[in-house]
Amino acid sequence: MTSSKLPPPHVRAWYFYSFAAEVFSACALAIFLPITLEQLAKEIGSYAPDYTEPCNIASEADDGAGRICKAHILGAWVDPASFSMYVKSVAVAVQAVCIISIGPLADSPYWRKRLLFILTYTGSFSAILFILFPSTSSAPLVLLAGLLFIVGNTTYSIGTVCSNAFLPVLAREDEDVQKALQEANVVRSEDEDIDDMAGYRRASLDQEANNVVPSGLGPAVRAISAEDLAESDPVDTTSLPKFMGRKTHYETLLSLTISRLSSAGTALGFLSGVSALALLLIPVILLKGSTFSLRLAIALSGIWWAVFTIPSWLGLPSGTKEDANRTEKKSFKEAWKRIGSLIRPKEIRSLPNLYLFLFAWIFLSDGFHTITYTSILFCKSVLSFSPSEIILIGILVQFAAITSSITVPKLQHRLTKTNFKILFMAVLAGGLIPIYACVGLMLGLRVLSTKGEMYVLATWFGLVFGPFLSYSRAVYTELIPPGHESTFFSLFAFTDKSASFVGPAVLGLIADLTGNLRYGFIFLLIMLTVPIPVLLRVSVRKGKEDAQKWSESKLAVREDDEEITGLLGAS
């Protein structure tokens, strides 16, 4: 495939969904919905402890003189920023349960496409409804906004699962993958050399990226993609029998093609998200950051999501009714059993380094993502950033992440540092943000009190966040048994989502009890400190050996059946 050749029709349709959905994620979910919830709650709030004087929306937040704004919601007085965090926590918990439960439908060729568009238009409609809100806020309206946030967050996340479920199908349609499958099924053919996986990986990734993003951005966007498979060394097939060598060649090529498609889709989604974020600055500035301007931005994000999903609906492959009949109700229980089977004591003992890393990842993922959400609300509620200034914070983080994702790999080659060492340094660098806040609290200094500080810290966080995401996946990839990438990356995603509701809930509780969101940085410091000794116990070298043994044991069990039925005879 040359760089000037357009992707196949099914692939183009899948790219359109990334282009459509990422705008809702980057604009509505990441920025506008959190600060809209906070602002709506503040509009119905009163100053504690008398609760007689309405909160002044335009005033600087005063978290040290006793004038703490609280909103009366569901019978309790809640800090407006805490309300936004509580809603986020509930949304993530609902999302985690639904993602696992919906897995069987996403695996069904018939339901995958239909579910994707049901979710898309449910989520986009929930966003568009914000434009119909009355100008005066009320407690029921605030609760409705929170419910719509949960709906939008859940539908987007499950939609992403359905979208990613197309990746193996699209990858199997690739000409090189089909050729590898045919060669793998010809058991008695003469020996042929296995293609150079490293050369294929680099060429195909770059060619696909050049079709959808400007030259030079592909590697950086791949690096910050939360859904992408990190690159790893090719599997050694020289010690395997000819049939098993071709089998491994096919599976590796399939995995790399999935990674290539995911990378290009993420690149396109990133560009659409950042571009839309910059465009939405215009109405926000013109309307002076009013609540209406925020609701308008949310609605426009939903409209973008709905409109640009239409080419995906027209172009993505669709299953038959017979496929739907194969999806039984009991498969929902099987989805949870599948996750349970991966965390059995036997599996943990077989792959101790992988599970140690996953344990550390639970804290690190929750900590880093909570820093992002907390910082947005901190800027809004404590430092009284305008919506346009918060958008600038978001853009700074994204482009700092891109910059570091381009430069860090180059520095890594010069310094000859391993992926694990780069990740460890990123964790330590990320921990400097809560350390800075905590030292200020202990010494009574007015840290995190100016907008200039937040711009600097946003840039620092972006520089750290890019390598953190990419190298955490790179290290995890090294620990995964070859040929089982999909299974273990589903476990990786589950651990990411299953505990991520804890951080926002705890931060919201801290803000409610203390009236000072700065104390939340103590919790963030704990979240980023606890996994450090766990990471130090991880041995990547030993983990690779364990992963290879685990994979070989699974291959040995399946080998007899595969020789009879042929390798993955039905694609």
Side-chain angles (χ1 to χ4, degrees):
M1 180 176 63
T2 63
S3 60
S4 61
K5 183 180 178 181
L6 286 175
H10 286 169
V11 175
R12 290 201 302 269
W14 187 80
Y15 285 161
F16 256 106
Y17 188 77
S18 296
F19 181 81
E22 188 58 29
V23 168
F24 181 74
S25 174
C27 300
L29 292 178
I31 294 179
F32 295 114
L33 277 166
I35 61 178
T36 298
L37 290 180
E38 190 269 348
Q39 190 151 315
L40 288 172
K42 193 173 184 180
E43 287 179 358
I44 64 169
S46 301
Y47 287 114
D50 297 330
Y51 303 113
T52 57
E53 181 184 353
C55 297
N56 188 346
I57 307 301
S59 69
E60 292 282 336
D62 188 345
D63 58 341
R67 289 171 56 82
I68 301 172
C69 183
K70 297 275 189 175
H72 195 255
I73 302 173
L74 292 178
W77 289 97
V78 182
D79 184 284
S82 295
F83 172 72
S84 183
M85 290 184 182
Y86 292 148
V87 172
K88 172 68 173 178
S89 180
V90 173
V92 173
V94 171
Q95 163 192 327
V97 173
C98 291
I99 282 178
I100 301 302
S101 301
I102 214 70
L105 285 181
D107 290 338
S108 166
Y110 178 83
W111 284 110
R112 182 186 303 136
K113 178 176 178 178
R114 287 155 180 80
L115 186 61
L116 177 66
F117 297 105
I118 292 172
L119 292 165
T120 292
Y121 289 103
T122 301
S124 62
F125 182 68
S126 72
I128 296 170
L129 283 178
F130 275 89
I131 201 66
L132 303 178
F133 279 22
S135 57
T136 303
S137 184
S138 62
L141 193 68
V142 172
L143 289 175
L144 176 60
L147 178 61
L148 293 177
F149 180 98
I150 294 170
V151 171
N153 187 82
T154 303
T155 52
Y156 167 78
S157 300
I158 304 176
T160 300
V161 172
C162 294
S163 174
N164 289 342
F166 280 100
L167 280 171
V169 178
L170 302 179
R172 291 188 185 103
E173 293 178 353
D174 183 87
E175 294 179 1
D176 293 326
V177 173
Q178 289 183 350
K179 180 181 178 182
L181 177 59
Q182 293 172 357
E183 292 174 352
N185 281 323
V186 181
V187 180
R188 296 181 179 179
S189 63
E190 296 182 358
D191 266 330
E192 296 173 2
D193 293 333
I194 301 299
D195 292 341
D196 183 2
M197 290 291 97
Y200 171 83
R201 176 178 67 240
R202 172 56 55 201
S204 61
L205 285 172
D206 288 346
Q207 288 171 3
E208 191 74 22
N210 288 339
N211 285 328
V212 293
V213 295
S215 177
L217 280 184
V221 178
R222 283 200 304 273
I224 64 172
S225 164
E227 304 297 336
D228 196 10
L229 296 176
E231 296 180 15
S232 60
D233 293 332
V235 177
D236 180 14
T237 61
T238 56
S239 61
L240 296 175
K242 177 170 57 179
F243 173 79
M244 301 308 295
R246 287 180 181 154
K247 169 184 180 291
T248 305
H249 168 51
Y250 164 76
E251 291 182 343
T252 302
L253 193 59
L254 178 65
S255 178
L256 292 172
T257 304
I258 291 173
S259 177
R260 168 170 60 87
L261 296 174
S262 174
S263 298
T266 300
L268 190 59
F270 166 79
L271 290 178
S272 68
V274 173
S275 300
L277 199 57
L279 289 174
L280 289 174
L281 264 174
I282 299 173
V284 170
I285 292 175
L286 291 177
L287 295 172
K288 300 180 180 180
S290 63
T291 305
F292 174 75
S293 72
L294 301 178
R295 294 189 283 110
L296 176 62
I298 295 170
L300 290 174
S301 300
I303 292 172
W304 181 297
W305 187 13
V307 170
F308 288 103
T309 298
I310 294 174
S312 298
W313 169 254
L314 297 175
L316 283 173
S318 181
T320 63
K321 256 306 192 188
E322 288 72 20
D323 296 321
N325 295 333
R326 299 192 191 106
T327 304
E328 303 175 5
K329 292 183 180 180
K330 69 177 183 179
S331 42
F332 291 98
K333 182 187 293 186
E334 294 300 320
W336 285 94
K337 284 184 178 180
R338 185 168 53 188
I339 289 294
S341 67
L342 291 175
I343 54 177
R344 291 180 300 179
K346 177 183 177 181
E347 305 297 344
I348 295 174
R349 288 193 299 268
S350 300
L351 300 167
N353 289 283
L354 182 145
Y355 285 95
L356 275 174
F357 183 83
L358 280 178
F359 180 74
W361 171 249
I362 291 175
F363 289 89
L364 293 173
S365 175
D366 193 16
F368 270 82
H369 285 95
T370 303
I371 285 179
T372 305
Y373 198 83
T374 303
S375 298
I376 293 294
L377 292 175
F378 185 85
C379 289
K380 174 68 174 61
S381 63
V382 178
L383 299 182
S384 296
F385 271 55
S386 68
S388 58
E389 290 171 327
I390 292 176
I391 293 174
L392 180 58
I393 287 284
I395 293 175
L396 276 176
V397 170
Q398 292 280 5
F399 278 103
I402 284 292
T403 301
S404 60
S405 297
I406 292 174
T407 57
V408 169
K410 296 178 180 179
L411 292 174
Q412 180 185 6
H413 289 304
R414 293 182 181 179
L415 300 175
T416 63
K417 298 291 186 181
T418 63
N419 290 339
F420 182 83
K421 288 181 179 178
I422 298 293
L423 171 63
F424 193 76
M425 287 189 288
V427 171
L428 295 179
L432 292 178
I433 295 176
I435 287 175
Y436 174 72
C438 292
V439 169
L441 282 172
M442 290 187 295
L443 299 180
L445 303 176
R446 292 288 295 176
V447 300
L448 300 181
S449 58
T450 66
K451 294 181 178 180
E453 281 181 282
M454 296 308 298
Y455 288 129
V456 172
L457 288 177
T459 303
W460 175 259
F461 180 74
L463 291 173
V464 173
F465 196 49
F468 167 73
L469 286 180
S470 59
Y471 283 92
S472 60
R473 288 191 318 281
V475 172
Y476 184 68
T477 300
E478 294 183 76
L479 300 172
I480 291 178
H484 298 269
E485 290 82 4
S486 177
T487 299
F488 280 92
F489 264 98
S490 67
L491 182 61
F492 188 67
F494 175 71
T495 55
D496 181 22
K497 303 298 182 185
S498 60
S500 294
F501 69 92
V502 175
V506 173
L507 264 293
L509 186 61
I510 290 172
D512 265 335
L513 295 177
T514 66
N516 190 343
L517 194 54
R518 286 187 175 89
Y519 287 113
F521 285 95
I522 298 175
F523 171 75
L524 291 174
L525 179 60
I526 294 172
M527 291 293 289
L528 297 183
T529 301
V530 168
I532 289 177
V534 180
L535 280 178
L536 290 174
R537 294 183 58 191
V538 175
S539 170
V540 176
R541 181 189 59 80
K542 184 65 167 59
K544 286 182 177 180
E545 296 175 357
D546 293 337
Q548 187 65 40
K549 292 177 182 178
W550 190 94
S551 184
E552 289 173 356
S553 68
K554 297 296 181 181
L555 287 174
V557 172
R558 291 158 42 196
E559 184 174 358
D560 290 339
D561 290 338
E562 288 175 339
E563 288 180 348
I564 295 173
T565 61
L567 169 65
L568 300 175
S571 62

